[in-house]
Amino acid sequence: MADARIRRQVAFLAAQMMYQRLESEYFTAKRKAARQLGVEYRHRPGDLPSNREIRDQIQAMARMHEGPKRLEKLRDMRLDALRLMRQLARFRPRLIGSVRTGHVRKGSDIDIHLFCDSLSLVTDVLDELGAQYTVELKRIVKHNEERVFTHIHVYDNHNYELTLYPEDKAHYVFKSSITGKAIERASIAELENLLLEEDPEIDLDGEVTRLEDHLDRFALFRMLLEPLEGVKQSPKYHPEGDALYHSLQVFELARAERPYDEEFLVAALLHDVGKAIDPADHVGAALDSLEGAITERTAWLIEHHMDAHAYRGGTLGARARVRLENSEWFDDLMLLHELDLRGRVRGEIVCEVDEALDVLRELEAEDEL
C-alpha cells in the first residue's frame, strides 16, 4: 500500500512539474519528483510511475484548470496544424502528439513528422512562407547507439516541432514512449476527416484561409524582439550590453513585481523594440509596428517611457508633467521607469525570448478562462 501511495505521489508531482512547464521530459520529471519525495534511491526505475500514469495526471490538471476552453484550444490547434500541413504537403506530413490524440494542455505545441532526405528543401519552403524557425540537431544515446534527430521549431500562430525523417521512413511504425504501442498519427486527409467528424458544418477551407491571413501577436513580438540582439547600446547608459539583453532583464524584474499583470509585462518586454527599426525614433517605430497587437494601456506605457526618464530627471516641461501625473497609469509608468534603470546589470541571468512569450501566452489563456 505504501509503495502504491508513493507511486501516486511521484506521478502527481511529476505531472505538476510538466503541467507548469518546469520540465518537458517524463524521464527527468519522474526522477526529480522521486528525489524531492526522498525515495530516489529506495526504488528501482520500474517502481516509478509510467509515462502514461503521469500523462493521465497532466490531463486531469488540464481539465480542472482549463475547463471547456481546452476543447476550443484543441480545435484551433488542429485547424492550424492542417494549415501548415497543407503548406508542407510535398513532405508527407503526419500529425502526432497531443494535438492528434486530444491530450492538449497549457503550453502544448503542435508535433508533426516530415519525410524528406534534405533539410534545406524543407527550410527553403519555410523561408518562402516567411516562417520564423530554428533548427535543432538532438543527439540521443540509447543501447550504446547514438542517433541524431533533426527538429525544426516553427513559431507562428502556435509553436510547432517538425521532426524530419528520411523519405524511406514514411511507412515506418513509430512507437509511443507513453503507451509502448504504435503512435497515433494523421495525414492531411485523416486530419480533415477528424475535424469534420467533430463538426460536420465546419468550412475547412474558409477556416484555413482565415488562419493564413492571421498573424499571431506573439509571433509578431518574437519577430520584433530577435533583432534587438544586434542593437549595441552606449556603455555609458547601458553597460549590460545589447538591447535584447536589457529588455529581458526589465521583463524579469517586471515579472517579479507584477507576475499577474499581462499588459505591464508586455510593455516591459517590448518597450525598446523600435531600436532595431528606427534608432532616431524608437518609440514611434515601436508603436507603429505594434499597432493593433497591444492594448491601449500597454501602448501608453511604451509611448511615454522616455518621458518618464525626463520626468525623473527634471527636464520634462510643466504641461507634459501635469499630463503624465493626471493619467490613471502614472504609477505604472514610474514603476516601468524604475525597472528600466535597474535592468542594466552585466552578467545578469535572464530567460530566453520564447520563455518570456510562454509566460505571456499563459497569462492570456488564464484571462480567457
Side-chain angles (χ1 to χ4, degrees), residues 265-280:
L265 292 178
V266 172
L269 183 63
L270 303 180
H271 71 283
D272 274 347
V273 292
K275 288 185 175 180
I277 304 170
D278 183 1

Side-chain angles (χ1 to χ4, degrees), residues 91-92 114-118 147-150 163-172 174:
F91 307 118
R92 290 179 284 182
L114 300 179
F115 300 91
C116 180
D117 292 330
S118 170
R147 296 182 62 188
V148 178
F149 292 88
T150 302
T163 304
L164 186 62
Y165 290 98
E167 292 182 19
D168 62 7
K169 294 292 186 182
H171 300 291
Y172 181 82
F174 294 89

